[in-house]
Amino acid sequence: MLRIDVVAMPLAITRVTSIMAQRQFDVVTMDVAAPVDGLRRITVEVDTADEIRLDRLVKFLNRSPDVVKVAHLADEQSHTRREVFATITFPEGRLADAVAIAQAFSAEIVDADRTRCTVFAAAEPARVDALVKALSGFTVRDLVMTSPLRIPRVPRKGHQW
């Protein structure tokens, strides 16, 4: 997972993504934040296990005039969360079952009536995937998931990664 800070200019994101495309990287997820202080933060998950290729990509990105900073966020050095909204329908009288599943996954029912409800959760990606699988016993009418969001962990005193 890479976190790329780029200048908030037209076409800056296009130029960054074209660098990845030219190097034949498959982008799994990409999240682009709104501009803050003239910068946009892009969080990109690329499909590669080759650290040498990834280091080369970081070097190419750093050469771009649009890129201010690139950070590689390793799994053990960062927190990852994903959000999901799932609207499900069910036979009348089964709302309690849906609520029980939501509570088991620390999810929240944000809208409900006799035959449908909307569940919201923000958790680690594996936990969100497990929630969606548990809800598949009902009829899933709408499902919206964010790409994984990642932020570096705060280092503890005397702890090295």
Side-chain angles (χ1 to χ4, degrees), residues 83-88 90 95 98-103 106-113 116-122 131 135 142-144:
E83 296 176 342
V84 64
F85 278 102
T87 301
I88 58 173
F90 41 79
L95 176 61
V99 170
I101 290 172
Q103 286 177 341
S106 301
E108 179 182 346
I109 305 289
V110 293
D111 186 25
D113 66 17
R116 83 170 171 80
C117 70
T118 302
V119 179
F120 170 77
L131 170 64
L135 291 173
D142 197 8
L143 183 67
V144 179

Side-chain angles (χ1 to χ4, degrees), residues 16-128:
V16 167
T17 55
S18 69
I19 290 170
M20 290 183 268
Q22 289 169 355
R23 306 298 179 283
Q24 297 180 345
F25 277 91
D26 185 22
V27 174
V28 178
T29 63
M30 176 183 274
D31 182 65
V32 180
V36 175
D37 296 331
L39 295 177
R40 281 189 184 273
R41 178 160 287 167
I42 306 170
T43 306
V44 180
E45 182 180 0
V46 291
D47 187 20
T48 186
D50 187 356
E51 288 295 321
I52 294 171
R53 260 188 97 213
L54 195 59
D55 287 341
R56 284 188 195 143
L57 175 62
V58 170
K59 287 177 185 177
F60 280 115
L61 288 169
N62 278 321
R63 288 182 195 158
S64 172
D66 299 312
V67 175
V68 176
K69 182 181 177 183
V70 179
H72 179 248
L73 300 174
D75 290 342
E76 63 276 356
Q77 297 175 345
S78 58
H79 296 285
T80 305
R81 295 293 181 268
R82 172 176 247 168
E83 296 176 342
V84 64
F85 278 102
T87 301
I88 58 173
T89 59
F90 41 79
E92 198 165 326
R94 299 264 328 263
L95 176 61
D97 297 339
V99 170
I101 290 172
Q103 286 177 341
F105 287 92
S106 301
E108 179 182 346
I109 305 289
V110 293
D111 186 25
D113 66 17
R114 294 185 329 237
T115 60
R116 83 170 171 80
C117 70
T118 302
V119 179
F120 170 77
E124 295 174 353
R127 190 162 175 88
V128 169

